[in-house]
Amino acid sequence: MLKLSGVIRWSALLAASLFAASLQAKPYKAAEIYSKQTYKYGRYEVRMKVAKGSGVLSTFFTYKNGSEIGNTFWEEIDIEVFGKNNATQWQSNVIIGSSRPTTKTEGLHTASASLGDGYHTYVLEWTPSYVAWYVDGGQVRRITGGQFVTSLTSNQDIRFNVWAANIAEWVGAFDPNILPVYQFVNYIEYKPYSASTNSFTTNGSWRDDFNSFDTNRWNKANWTFTENYADFDTNNVVVKDGTLVLALTREGATGFNGTVPSDGGTTPAPSVFIEAESFNEVGGSVTVSGGAVGYIDAGEWMKYNNINIPATGTYKVEYRVASALTTAQFTLDKNGVGLGTISVPNTGGWGTYATISHDVSLTAGVQSLAIYANSGGFNIDWIKLTKI
């Protein structure tokens, strides 16, 4: 099992809820749903308002069924929002491995404001080459290559839950006087990954706005595990006013009869993220190393086919670059037409990266984009296009 400071971690045990069991006689009741189908590479977008309170977790994650059994190879990808500290912190994680404790890569992230005061958009992107996490349109973490990407080979189901952990060192001490607390989910949207286009596609995609509880898509959990102060109770899964409500309550006070908080936020601007090394064609002898393209000389280029621009308009195009020179310059090209030229500053060295940007006009649809080096001497890690 996973351990932190000598205590068994929830991420490994959450799936151990599959050890089965009927409801235990615990004084508190939590909630979990899990998908009937399993999914693999894709873009998972979730809009939710999390619960606040020490000891409480609101989560969205993918999990390979049966991972907890014996020495089965574990596969799991997590978004775990802590209720402690006014719900300003959350954790990204990938869990793998046949041995126990399993192998994990935890990232702790702090938001500028409480994630429990309103709805926020969380995105998990999972492809054969990377796993990335976003909040409200901004990338928070990305793992490119390595065991935490290449070992994720199985389909996984999709899960949401809210619960109370008895691991104070991790989530804070639980105070039952805060109950009831709730996690509100506005929607979830899934877009499969297409290897042929190296992009996320609408073919096979789906979205659940929770206008009802879709029993063809979801199951409700009815189990518990040692590290959970609560049982998962099906009565604490409620759909109301186009919102999935997951409740954490006392026994005998299950369900939700209140007013669902309105989602007054805006949808993040459409964006496209391209890893520089994912080019389909190349001119010259560039070198790919450490997830970046380097040794780019004048006249060399990288072409990215089948880039789906989601809407017509002006885009802020950001590039993560490094250079030890002041003369490097390149042009962004679309289908053979230059869109804009940008100079690369001296970032302080070949391994010191900075983000530069310019604005370009793009039309909606699938097209080819390319980076053409007018003058060489720079490395590039990624490209991000965001509609403004």
Side-chain angles (χ1 to χ4, degrees):
M1 293 291 184
L2 295 179
K3 293 181 180 290
L4 179 65
S5 302
V7 295
I8 298 179
R9 283 296 317 282
W10 93 276
S11 293
L13 286 163
L14 180 57
S17 57
L18 296 180
F19 280 146
S22 53
L23 287 175
Q24 306 299 309
K26 293 187 177 181
Y28 313 113
K29 304 302 175 186
E32 176 177 279
I33 68 169
Y34 58 101
S35 64
K36 291 185 173 181
Q37 295 184 350
T38 57
Y39 304 87
K40 198 174 180 182
Y41 305 131
R43 183 180 189 273
Y44 302 78
E45 179 175 317
V46 173
R47 180 84 171 166
M48 65 183 180
K49 179 179 185 289
V50 301
K52 292 200 287 187
S54 181
V56 177
L57 292 127
S58 302
T59 78
F60 168 75
F61 63 108
T62 64
Y63 172 73
K64 186 188 78 174
N65 289 322
S67 288
E68 78 289 345
I69 299 172
N71 292 325
T72 302
F73 192 87
W74 200 297
E75 298 180 47
E76 181 177 342
I77 312 173
D78 297 323
I79 294 174
E80 309 155 317
V81 186
F82 302 118
K84 67 178 182 179
N85 300 326
N86 198 34
T88 54
Q89 292 182 309
W90 66 281
Q91 181 174 276
S92 59
N93 198 12
V94 174
I95 304 172
I96 58 171
S98 299
S99 61
R100 305 294 187 262
T102 49
T103 303
K104 61 187 183 299
T105 173
E106 298 171 340
L108 181 63
H109 317 288
T110 301
S112 59
S114 174
L115 298 170
D117 285 343
Y119 290 84
H120 295 269
T121 303
Y122 303 81
V123 172
L124 170 64
E125 290 184 355
W126 172 22
T127 78
S129 60
Y130 73 89
V131 177
W133 294 260
Y134 300 79
V135 176
D136 293 334
Q139 181 178 283
V140 178
R141 186 185 184 195
R142 173 176 291 249
I143 304 173
T144 301
Q147 63 174 337
F148 291 108
V149 176
T150 60
S151 295
L152 297 171
T153 60
S154 302
N155 282 24
Q156 302 183 30
D157 66 15
I158 299 170
R159 299 190 177 214
F160 291 94
N161 68 24
V162 63
W163 62 289
N166 62 11
I167 311 172
E169 301 93 322
W170 179 45
V171 298
F174 175 59
D175 178 4
N177 292 319
I178 67 173
L179 300 180
V181 294
Y182 307 99
Q183 176 182 353
F184 301 93
V185 183
N186 186 320
Y187 68 83
I188 175 174
E189 183 177 80
Y190 169 72
K191 292 182 178 179
Y193 170 79
S194 170
S196 61
T197 62
N198 190 29
S199 64
F200 303 107
T201 176
T202 57
N203 184 22
S205 66
W206 56 266
R207 177 182 171 113
D208 195 336
D209 288 297
F210 295 109
N211 294 315
S212 63
F213 188 82
D214 187 349
T215 55
N216 292 318
R217 176 170 287 139
W218 304 105
N219 283 318
K220 300 177 183 180
N222 64 347
W223 47 67
T224 190
F225 48 94
T226 304
E227 285 64 33
N228 191 351
Y229 280 120
D231 307 308
F232 289 131
D233 191 320
T234 60
N235 293 314
N236 270 347
V237 177
V238 178
V239 168
K240 184 178 181 181
D241 298 334
T243 304
L244 170 69
V245 184
L246 300 177
L248 178 60
T249 68
R250 292 181 181 272
E251 186 174 20
T254 55
F256 176 77
N257 297 310
T259 300
V260 173
S262 60
D263 185 355
T266 57
T267 301
S271 63
V272 177
F273 192 94
I274 305 169
E275 287 285 6
E277 72 273 18
S278 66
F279 51 78
N280 303 103
E281 301 176 44
V282 65
S285 57
V286 301
T287 298
V288 175
S289 178
V293 180
Y295 295 96
I296 302 171
D297 294 325
E300 295 183 329
W301 51 270
M302 296 86 70
K303 186 177 181 181
Y304 306 86
N305 296 330
N306 300 307
I307 302 301
N308 186 22
I309 303 302
T312 298
T314 301
Y315 283 74
K316 177 182 180 181
V317 185
E318 299 172 273
Y319 311 88
R320 192 69 173 170
V321 296
S323 180
L325 308 177
T326 58
T327 56
Q329 186 184 80
F330 62 85
T331 295
L332 178 66
D333 174 290
K334 184 188 82 169
N335 298 333
V337 178
L339 297 174
T341 298
I342 188 168
S343 296
V344 180
N346 184 332
T347 61
W350 302 111
T352 302
Y353 282 82
T355 303
I356 60 174
S357 67
H358 61 169
D359 297 343
V360 304
S361 295
L362 291 167
T363 54
V366 176
Q367 49 214 263
S368 296
L369 298 178
I371 298 294
Y372 178 84
N374 304 86
S375 54
F378 65 97
N379 303 336
I380 183 166
D381 186 6
W382 50 255
I383 308 158
K384 182 181 180 182
L385 304 89
T386 304
K387 191 174 184 297
I388 58 177

